[in-house]
Amino acid sequence: MLNPTSPRPLYQQLADLLKQQIQAGAYLPGSRLESEPEIATRYDVARGTVRQALDLLVEQGMLDRIQGKGTFIAATEASPCVNRVGVVVPYLNDNLTVGILRGIESVLRAHEFSLIYSPSEGDLELEKEQILRLLREKVCGLILMPVSSSNEAAVISQVLTPEIQIVVVDRVVPGWVTNSVFVDNNGGAMMIV
């Protein structure tokens, strides 16, 4: 079931597998998950691999851990997203980024949506944390100006849920296919000339 020769780490494969089982109803909300050693034995992986997979699912809100009691399937929330869109940008130190944020905010306001801005400071781990925070805020969509790290696609894919809509602005994330918007630098230069 897990492929040790895959470029995707085993803990991510295990997290994906457990997530699929949870979404398919193999576990009921509130039910206790097997212990880490039991999962490790069942999938023939190290306990550390199981711990990483479970940590990832806790971050995604699929599992809850209670000290001394175990890991439980999180209760599903029926509440839909609220009229908010999250925006993550690396820095606010240039006019382009500020202009993009102003444009996003004006369009969202016209459609009765609010914007939640989150800086990543050009740090991939902080970008991941900000995305998780925005998902907990129940944003309806995410606009991302990525930090353009070589492993960004893998890191971002860990935390995004399939139902969240995402648009990438002004940068390419290698290995990741999503909606995107780019500045037409060549076209702009041609118009100026």
Side-chain angles (χ1 to χ4, degrees):
M1 296 173 105
L2 302 180
N3 180 2
T5 62
S6 169
R8 189 160 171 82
L10 283 174
Y11 80 92
Q12 289 178 355
Q13 293 180 49
L14 180 57
D16 292 344
L17 184 60
L18 292 172
K19 186 175 184 176
Q20 289 170 0
Q21 292 173 357
I22 292 167
Q23 290 172 334
Y27 300 97
L28 296 175
S31 65
R32 187 177 180 279
L33 197 63
E34 297 96 329
S35 68
E36 289 178 7
E38 291 170 329
I39 296 171
T41 300
R42 181 162 34 122
Y43 293 102
D44 194 28
V45 293
R47 188 170 173 188
T49 301
V50 174
R51 188 173 298 118
Q52 284 181 291
L54 297 181
D55 286 345
L56 185 56
L57 293 174
V58 167
E59 281 183 18
Q60 294 176 354
M62 302 212 58
L63 297 176
D64 292 319
R65 283 199 167 144
I66 301 173
Q67 184 73 29
K69 297 198 184 255
T71 304
F72 297 85
I73 309 305
T76 55
E77 294 183 24
S79 59
C81 67
V82 293
N83 284 10
R84 295 183 199 136
V85 172
V87 180
V88 180
V89 297
Y91 302 103
L92 267 181
N93 58 357
D94 62 80
N95 289 334
L96 174 64
T97 303
V98 172
I100 289 171
L101 281 173
R102 284 187 180 143
I104 292 169
E105 195 280 329
S106 68
V107 170
L108 290 175
R109 185 175 2 101
H111 291 87
E112 298 182 2
F113 276 73
S114 297
L115 174 142
I116 302 177
Y117 155 74
S118 298
S120 68
E121 304 300 329
D123 179 271
L124 186 55
E125 274 306 306
L126 181 55
E127 181 177 271
K128 176 182 166 184
E129 288 174 28
Q130 296 290 36
I131 290 171
L132 286 168
R133 183 181 66 79
L134 291 168
L135 294 176
R136 285 191 298 270
E137 292 286 335
K138 299 186 194 273
V139 294
C140 294
L142 185 64
I143 299 171
L144 176 65
M145 188 177 286
V147 299
S148 298
S149 173
S150 60
N151 63 337
E152 189 159 14
V155 171
I156 303 279
S157 297
Q158 289 175 15
V159 295
L160 286 179
T161 57
E163 57 275 358
I164 192 79
Q165 297 296 315
I166 185 163
V167 176
V168 174
V169 176
D170 200 38
R171 288 180 173 86
V172 174
V173 179
W176 199 26
V177 179
T178 188
N179 297 313
S180 55
V181 177
F182 294 96
V183 174
D184 184 7
N185 293 324
N186 291 337
M190 296 284 283
M191 289 174 67
I192 290 171
V193 172

